[in-house]
Structures are given as C-alpha cells and as structure tokens.
Amino acid sequence: MNKSQLHSPADVSLAEIIALIPAAGIGSRMKSDCPKQYLNVAGKTILEHTLAALFEHPRIQRVIIALNPADTQFAQLPIASDPRITTVIGGEERADSVLAGLDYLADLPTGRTTWVLVHDAARPCLHRNDLDSLLQIIDHNAGSPDVCGGLLASPVRDTMKRMVSLSETGSSTTDHTLIAHTVDRNGLWHALTPQLFPLQLLRDCLIKALADQACITDESSALEHCGYRPVLINGRADNIKVTQPEDLALAEFYLSQKAKESIV
C-alpha cells in the first residue's frame, strides 16, 4: 500500500468533524476501584469534563465513545442520554478501540468528507484555543493536499535520560534503575491529543500497521508507519492526561483555572 492508495485531497467545504474517544481501558496505574475516566474531579467525572471540552467547540457535533464491553458506569452518567453521543464496543488495546469507532463511522452513509478527532478519555483540560489551532489543519489542507492531519504536542522541557537494563550492566546486586545516557531533547515533543486525521486515511493506516504488528501507541504512529508525516501543533502543557493518582489534584487545579478564564 502506498500513499496514493491511502490519501486523496479532501473537499474541506463539505468536511464533517467527528470526535472519537477510546475509553475501554481500566486505568490500572491509578490504583483505583474504577476506571480513571469515571473518577470525580471538580464535581464531575473526568470523562464528563472531557466531553464538555469537546462540545464547547461549535464544529464538533458528534462524539463516538469506545467502551469496555463490561462497562456499566457510562450509562449512569447524565450525559449518556445526549443524542450527540454514540457508543461502540472497544477492544483490548487503544488501537483496537479506535479502529472499532472508525469501522462504525465507515459504515455510515455520508456525502461529506469526514475528519476524525481522536482524544483521550482522561485528558479533561483541553482548551478551546488549542482545538481552534488543530482544526485549522482542515482549512490548510485545501491548498496543501500533502497535509495528512496532525496532533497537539508540546516541546520536551526536561532533561531526558535513557535507562539501561541490569542485564546489560552485568549486575544483579542492585535494585536501582541505572542511566545509560542523556538523550538530546532538541527536536523532541510530547505527543498530546486530540489528534486529527481523515477518517479513511486513519482507518487504512491503522489496519495496515496492526497487520504489520507495528508499535502503535497513538494514531499518529499508525500514519508514520505508512510513510506520512503528521503536523505538530504546539499545544498547552496543561492539557494533561490523568494517569497517576497525583494527577487528580493537578487536573482539578487546571480545571478551576479554566473555569475562571471562561468567566472573564
């Protein structure tokens, strides 16, 4: 499969934007009794904050959520009855859940080009101006057909270290993780979400990458595997993903600041 088979210029005047949230994970690193997207922060579940951030943008009128087949909590949320939301059954890995949502969308009749905005369920602090910047990719695609999509990201600020395994050192007497070397952080970025790509292109790339058993940690990596170079859009560093227990307090702080900004 080559680029000419995967990608054709999109008619942006007819473009539809649909958000897709993979939410089938159990969030084991949170050490919680429930998946992290259902933990409460600032009066709502993390997932409700995430959905609210997406629906604040007028160009997003529909959201697909890929849920764990054993999920019983989403249906209990007030937002579950929102007609703009459709749920599908997700898979074991993130890529499987995203593909389940894409398969659902691909089967729908449409006369418009569809762009899919994939966003983490546990990333509730997304700002409207970041979404505006990312969605400009669609408008720019009209004059630049090589633009395949892009993602929010932030430049690495900290010093980066690569670890060395104990087997490589020949030592079996230490419990500590050792440094192999310092990594040059120049040109390194933290990949965030949302990530935005044409529906058919993202679906084709995910299918190929999974068939090739490539390492797929986000949607962009599937496109990279197929030879594409998504655009990095500089996003806010407070667009954090709640992963560890200590992230909850930070998310609550950022959400409170975001609420204050919306009042001003």
Side-chain angles (χ1 to χ4, degrees):
M1 185 181 294
N2 57 42
K3 287 188 181 182
S4 63
Q5 292 174 299
L6 284 172
H7 186 236
S8 58
D11 182 351
V12 297
S13 65
L14 298 175
E16 178 183 23
I17 301 167
I18 299 177
L20 171 56
I21 300 178
I26 59 173
S28 57
R29 283 177 290 180
M30 284 298 298
K31 301 177 182 177
S32 170
D33 293 335
C34 73
K36 59 188 175 184
Q37 59 266 28
Y38 297 120
L39 296 175
N40 274 278
V41 177
K44 295 181 182 178
T45 63
I46 291 172
L47 181 56
E48 286 175 296
H49 285 293
T50 299
L51 288 166
L54 292 171
F55 282 136
E56 281 176 7
H57 201 287
R59 296 183 72 176
I60 300 174
Q61 296 295 319
R62 190 171 189 181
V63 175
I64 310 298
I65 307 177
L67 297 174
N68 190 292
D71 188 302
T72 59
Q73 292 170 280
F74 179 74
Q76 300 175 28
L77 300 179
I79 201 168
S81 60
D82 192 311
R84 297 171 294 178
I85 296 174
T86 300
T87 62
V88 298
I89 298 301
E92 192 168 324
E93 302 294 336
R94 176 195 177 90
D96 301 319
S97 292
V98 172
L99 189 55
L102 297 176
D103 287 344
Y104 170 82
L105 291 172
D107 287 338
L108 297 179
T110 178
R112 295 191 287 172
T113 299
T114 301
W115 286 69
V116 179
L117 187 84
V118 184
H119 189 46
D120 294 326
R123 207 178 283 273
C125 304
L126 177 65
H127 277 252
R128 165 70 184 268
N129 54 356
D130 271 6
L131 258 181
D132 285 335
S133 298
L134 183 61
L135 295 179
Q136 286 178 8
I137 288 175
I138 298 176
D139 303 321
H140 292 165
N141 192 62
S144 304
D146 288 336
V147 175
C148 60
L151 61 149
L152 292 178
S154 63
V156 169
R157 301 173 181 178
D158 300 313
T159 297
M160 305 298 291
K161 305 288 187 182
R162 182 169 297 282
M163 63 171 282
V164 61
S165 68
L166 295 182
S167 61
E168 293 177 83
T169 66
S171 171
S172 59
T173 59
T174 178
D175 294 328
H176 300 295
T177 300
L178 305 178
I179 295 173
H181 58 268
T182 299
V183 178
D184 183 3
R185 69 185 176 196
N186 184 42
L188 293 180
W189 291 61
H190 293 287
L192 311 175
T193 69
Q195 302 192 4
L196 176 69
F197 303 103
L199 166 61
Q200 195 58 53
L201 176 62
L202 177 55
R203 184 169 180 262
D204 288 345
C205 288
L206 264 178
I207 290 172
K208 175 171 173 51
L210 288 171
D212 293 345
Q213 297 185 324
C215 180
I216 304 301
T217 55
D218 67 354
E219 293 63 54
S220 176
S221 56
L223 272 83
E224 294 160 36
H225 176 74
C226 294
Y228 289 92
R229 293 185 177 181
V231 178
L232 289 170
I233 303 296
N234 200 332
R236 295 175 58 124
D238 58 2
N239 181 15
I240 64 167
K241 184 177 182 180
V242 177
T243 304
Q244 306 287 352
E246 59 266 29
D247 296 332
L248 290 169
L250 189 57
E252 182 151 11
F253 171 75
Y254 285 145
L255 287 167
S256 67
Q257 293 301 111
K258 182 181 175 185
K260 291 177 183 177
E261 290 173 11
S262 66
I263 295 173
V264 176

